[in-house]
Amino acid sequence: MSHEILIGLMSGTSLDAIDAVAVDLHNDSVRLIHAIEYKFPEKLRHQLANLITQHEAVNLDHLGAAHRALGLAYADAVKQLLAEAKLQPDDITAIGCHGQTIRHQPDSNPAFSLQIGDAATLATATGITVVNDFRSADVALGGQGAPLVPAFHGHVFTSRKRDRVIVNLGGIANITVLKKDADSTTGFDTGPGNTLLDYWADKNLGKRYDASGSWARNGIIVESLLDDMLADHYFSLKPPKSTGREYFNPAWLSRHVEAAGPEHKAVDVQATLTALTARTVADAIRNVAPDGDVYLCGGGANNTLLTEQITAALKPQTVATTAELGIAPDWVEACAFAWLARARLRHTPGNLPAVTGASRPVILGAITAP
Ligand SMILES: Nc1ncnc2c1ncn2[C@@H]1O[C@H](COP(=O)(O)OP(=O)(O)O)[C@@H](O)[C@H]1O
Ligand SMILES: [Mg+2]
């Protein structure tokens, strides 16, 4: 049996882990062979968090060191993945590595989206060709450089019978709309996914995240705070649009919480933030695909309170996870970057101008040989 195995590496704005997958893309199928979650070494996680949150005071030595250290961490993740899957470097066509976004400014002039994680380090340490820097070409053509997963969602998840919406609940949430009778895939970032939830859980509980939303479940939604946050202009912007922690960050949250007054309990704010993600995702879906079947992916699909609220808000639309469509929710995004790497090797465009706003389709990614 023939195979065409690529590796996808994804580490998103949540800084939770490096997701590493090996996928067989033979004959345009997408078959997940093995997947691991590689926890960031604590020191590297701090280095990256500092670059992201202290961006105005970034020291170039720290930037350079993190760039290399992340390349080595990616290589470690790949080696662990290969060992567990009993694969050799020679079995792998290429690694598609998203890199770590340290700054995403698609609306500044000039616009940019900056990912780090040294490709030469990764390629030489593993002996495998690396494709990375997926966002620059789209940005160079006036696009947001994001989201890039919709083309992959279109490839694997389109149905000719039903409209479908794929919702990626990462640090930032994005949706992809797949109409049954049209080949035009659309999509955009809806706003915060887990990023504010994670920040608030860390600040108040000292935990990375509110597991299953169980803390928020004890809180009461503060309607005035929710309304105030929902009034943010991002939510009413027309697509194409993308966002990041540059905008939906602790300062954004503090402004709203302070405006709501001092009397609110932390747990009630967490409940309100959960409702904010659920409401903005559901509102976006109802606007663009009121009849679509909805499939959730990304780490937020494990937050049962959040998924219950999305389901309730969208009733009678059905809401499930991408596991129903053959790819477990935690691995969809990493699979997308393996697939985008293959598109690069085939000289096929990977962006969707209707999604990113770029002036034309373009081949995405830079190739680094070992
Ligand atoms: N069991 C869980 N309960 C609640 N939230 C979870 C759970 N597992 C993961 N998450 C959330 O998912 C996030 C990671 O999601 P991920 O899709 O990896 O995002 P990113 O692409 O930004 O890295 C975590 O930071 C956390 O907020
Ligand atoms: Mg992640």
Side-chain angles (χ1 to χ4, degrees):
M1 210 170 85
S2 299
H3 299 290
E4 187 177 4
I5 303 174
L6 283 91
I7 286 174
L9 294 179
M10 179 68 208
S11 54
T13 51
S14 303
L15 281 181
D16 56 321
I18 298 166
D19 302 334
V21 298
V23 275
D24 184 1
L25 300 178
H26 183 63
N27 271 343
D28 283 333
S29 66
V30 177
R31 191 176 65 82
L32 186 57
I33 296 171
H34 193 62
I36 63 165
E37 188 175 69
Y38 180 94
K39 291 288 174 205
F40 279 114
E42 203 51 32
K43 181 178 168 203
L44 178 57
R45 211 179 96 86
H46 275 117
Q47 284 175 298
L48 296 171
N50 280 338
L51 291 175
I52 292 167
T53 55
Q54 314 290 315
H55 66 275
E56 278 174 338
V58 164
N59 170 312
L60 289 181
D61 285 341
H62 295 173
L63 176 61
H67 181 53
R68 292 269 351 263
L70 181 57
L72 289 167
Y74 284 143
D76 253 11
V78 167
K79 287 175 189 168
Q80 188 184 327
L81 176 76
L82 291 176
E84 288 185 19
K86 300 195 166 49
L87 291 166
Q88 303 299 321
D90 282 351
D91 298 327
I92 309 299
T93 306
I95 298 168
C97 178
H98 174 269
Q100 185 65 47
T101 298
I102 54 166
R103 196 84 184 142
H104 180 66
Q105 293 287 62
D107 300 312
S108 64
N109 186 15
F112 66 91
S113 185
L114 200 55
Q115 285 77 38
I116 63 168
D118 184 34
T121 299
L122 173 57
T124 52
T126 58
I128 302 169
T129 296
V130 172
V131 182
N132 74 339
D133 192 18
F134 287 94
R135 302 196 189 268
S136 294
D138 186 84
V139 171
L141 291 169
Q144 297 274 311
L148 295 181
V149 286
F152 174 72
H153 292 162
H155 174 73
V156 274
F157 296 141
T158 298
S159 158
R160 287 289 159 226
K161 295 188 186 131
R162 304 278 304 165
D163 291 349
R164 286 178 172 171
V165 182
I166 312 299
V167 184
N168 179 27
L169 297 167
I172 297 298
N174 62 272
I175 64 169
T176 303
V177 181
L178 304 168
K179 298 276 187 182
K180 62 178 186 291
D181 48 9
D183 285 322
S184 62
T185 298
T186 57
F188 53 90
D189 287 351
T190 56
N194 305 304
T195 182
L196 300 174
L197 291 168
D198 286 359
Y199 165 72
W200 198 250
D202 183 40
K203 182 180 156 85
N204 291 281
L205 302 181
K207 290 185 178 164
R208 286 279 171 70
Y209 57 82
D210 177 14
S212 306
S214 57
W215 183 44
R217 207 181 273 282
N218 299 322
I220 297 166
I221 296 168
V222 182
E223 293 295 342
S224 60
L225 174 59
L226 179 59
D227 288 346
D228 186 41
M229 294 193 292
L230 286 169
D232 187 279
H233 84 290
Y234 183 80
F235 302 121
S236 49
L237 270 183
K238 294 242 173 324
K241 60 177 178 177
S242 67
T243 189
R245 284 173 53 159
E246 294 75 10
Y247 187 73
F248 290 106
N249 57 20
W252 185 93
L253 177 57
S254 296
R255 273 204 312 281
H256 288 285
V257 170
E258 277 162 27
E263 67 277 18
H264 301 299
K265 289 190 282 189
V267 66
D268 293 343
V269 172
Q270 187 76 0
T272 309
L273 288 172
T274 308
L276 175 71
T277 296
R279 271 285 295 277
T280 50
V281 165
D283 286 351
I285 292 172
R286 228 180 296 98
N287 273 334
V288 294
D291 302 318
D293 295 336
V294 177
Y295 298 91
L296 308 176
C297 61
N302 300 304
N303 182 331
T304 37
L305 179 66
L306 179 61
T307 62
E308 282 169 22
Q309 290 185 356
I310 292 173
T311 306
L314 284 171
K315 235 172 180 152
Q317 286 179 261
T318 63
V319 179
T321 78
T322 55
E324 301 278 321
L325 304 178
I327 305 182
D330 288 330
W331 311 121
V332 173
E333 220 181 353
C335 288
F337 283 91
W339 183 83
L340 284 165
R342 210 252 317 248
R344 173 65 189 87
L345 298 177
R346 288 180 167 183
H347 309 285
T348 312
N351 67 332
L352 297 174
V355 172
T356 64
S359 57
R360 61 176 168 83
V362 65
I363 295 165
L364 302 178
I367 300 174
T368 303

